[in-house]
Amino acid sequence: MISRGRLLHTLRGLAFAFTLTFVAFQPGHALSKPGQIVVAVQQDIFITDPHRATSGVDFAMFANVYEGLVGIDDQGKLVPELATEWTADPAGQVYTFKLRKGVKFHNGDAFTAEDVVFSWKRAKDPANKNVHASTVAARIVSIDVKDDYDITITLDAPDYAFLENINPHWLIVPKKYVEAIGSANFADKPIGTGPFKFVSRSVGTSMEFEAFKGHWGRAPTIDGVTMKVVPDDGARVAMLRTGEADMVQNVPPFMKAALDAGPDTKTVQVEPYMMFFLGLNAQSPVFDLKLRQALNHAIDKRVIAEKLYFGAAKPMTMWCVSSVVGCEPMGKGYGYDPKKAKQLVAESGYDTSRPIRLWAMADNVPHAKELAEALVYFFSEIGLKVDLSLHEYGTLLAFRGAEVKDYSKHDVLQYRWIEHNSDPLARLERVVGKGGSASFYDDPTLNALLEKVKSAKTEKIRTENLHEAFAYIDKQALVVPMFTLNSIWGLRKSLAWKPRAGFAHAVLWTLGASN
């Protein structure tokens, strides 16, 4: 078992070792290729079809190629997108939209109401296994078409987050084109109405996009984008420094200051709804209230935030972020208290000779392995043995997203969750709701609370119901919140880019030359 001093030494040494590697790189100068921006991203997407979505990483592509009826601007506010205006009945159940005229899909087809109806039916089709269907498309009872540009959408119950969830959870595809090539083939040659056209993809290596100069209002000023998949943090930053890339994702926090001080590099930092937490196997001996509380008290999140993530992370004492609906202050949550945690372990009666099986991420976040090792240390400090299994993000995603859950392999599962707006219902349903796509839970009380959220008659009641659900999760210690993490992007000083507030992925139509 490592000591606390050794843990801190390891975290500091990690940063120092990376810094030595980092400063050896020589800065680049010109753009990698005039007009074509190269963006180095940490992980490849899983699917190009928005109605077969499997993971949040897919939005690196979705956010640039597709659009919804309503969009979200760089301040995180609702704005017209494929609809120019809308109204809702007082109950929040019937929405009337005027669609934008003159919009073209990337193949030149005109956008009309029939594409909206088609995209609704396709997005909710169980055959497509769309993990986002329950958030929007499956809640729509009917779409009444008055003419090509006037529609009325009726929901199964009031939903005051409907507009906010349209984009990114329900995106529009071209009916005629999909029917012509076949739905199963659409992922190979995807088409939307967004600012960028899909050109090509080499799985695990790169994607190429071309600017859609015929866009209705947000035509990019650059010619195109090549996204290169580069999992290694140091390698991505090296590409920026040497001129192989113009923009890089997930700059390790300790590298930020050096990039900002560089002659032709800079950073842009975004505070997305990106949170790290531990989920618990409800069929495991670990799923005991006192032991759950012990795990919540065991982790020194301040040390992780300050020493491993250089202040780019913020500790979470509750599974709630203040900017999220229903997350107004509810109490202190579970602070770091190893003495109390050790006492709770004893009171739980847990057999400490049995190791806790922790499945954690080996990639896709800065210092993933070091974070996992820190968790092992903190749990060992309260008398628990840990059997640590590190897995690539895609493997973890497939495991937790399997239709038939396998409860035999783990006790504790690490999650990195990115929400795309301030409404938390999708996270609650998918992570801790019965039958959720990433859930190992079936808590009757919580299930009933989530149903109350979905059927709330007013926005005020819905917010209160969300608050009640979060308070229950906290009291029952159903998850182990750890921290939120900022997204740090590295860019050339010759580029200007305005990221979207609260969004971890790059919406690239605002990218252009710096004045």
Side-chain angles (χ1 to χ4, degrees), residues 51 115-125 136-143 170-172:
H51 301 157
D115 300 302
V116 178
V117 176
F118 176 78
S119 296
W120 160 52
K121 293 178 179 179
R122 188 171 185 269
K124 70 171 185 170
D125 184 348
V136 177
R139 303 209 59 189
I140 297 174
V141 174
S142 65
I143 299 181
W170 177 38
L171 301 171
I172 306 301

Side-chain angles (χ1 to χ4, degrees), residues 492-504:
R492 298 194 173 285
K493 285 185 177 176
S494 58
L495 289 176
W497 178 53
K498 198 168 187 180
R500 204 190 93 181
F503 199 61

Side-chain angles (χ1 to χ4, degrees), residues 307-348:
K307 304 301 183 184
L308 188 58
Y309 293 108
F310 284 66
K314 293 181 181 178
M316 299 174 68
T317 55
M318 305 175 73
W319 196 41
C320 219
V321 182
S322 60
S323 55
V324 166
V325 178
C327 287
E328 57 269 22
M330 292 180 288
K332 294 182 179 179
Y334 295 87
Y336 176 55
D337 192 337
K339 183 178 179 180
K340 185 173 183 178
K342 190 176 294 187
Q343 178 185 337
L344 286 165
V345 170
E347 292 175 1
S348 74

Side-chain angles (χ1 to χ4, degrees), residues 122-136:
R122 188 171 185 269
K124 70 171 185 170
D125 184 348
N128 289 326
K129 299 179 181 180
N130 179 12
V131 299
H132 300 288
S134 63
T135 305
V136 177

Side-chain angles (χ1 to χ4, degrees), residues 225-256:
V225 173
T226 299
M227 286 188 182
K228 292 187 177 181
V229 181
V230 185
D232 184 76
D233 293 340
R236 287 195 308 280
V237 174
M239 289 175 68
L240 181 66
R241 301 269 291 178
T242 59
E244 294 178 75
D246 311 300
M247 181 174 176
V248 298
Q249 181 189 37
N250 284 353
V251 172
F254 65 83
M255 291 185 176
K256 180 181 185 302

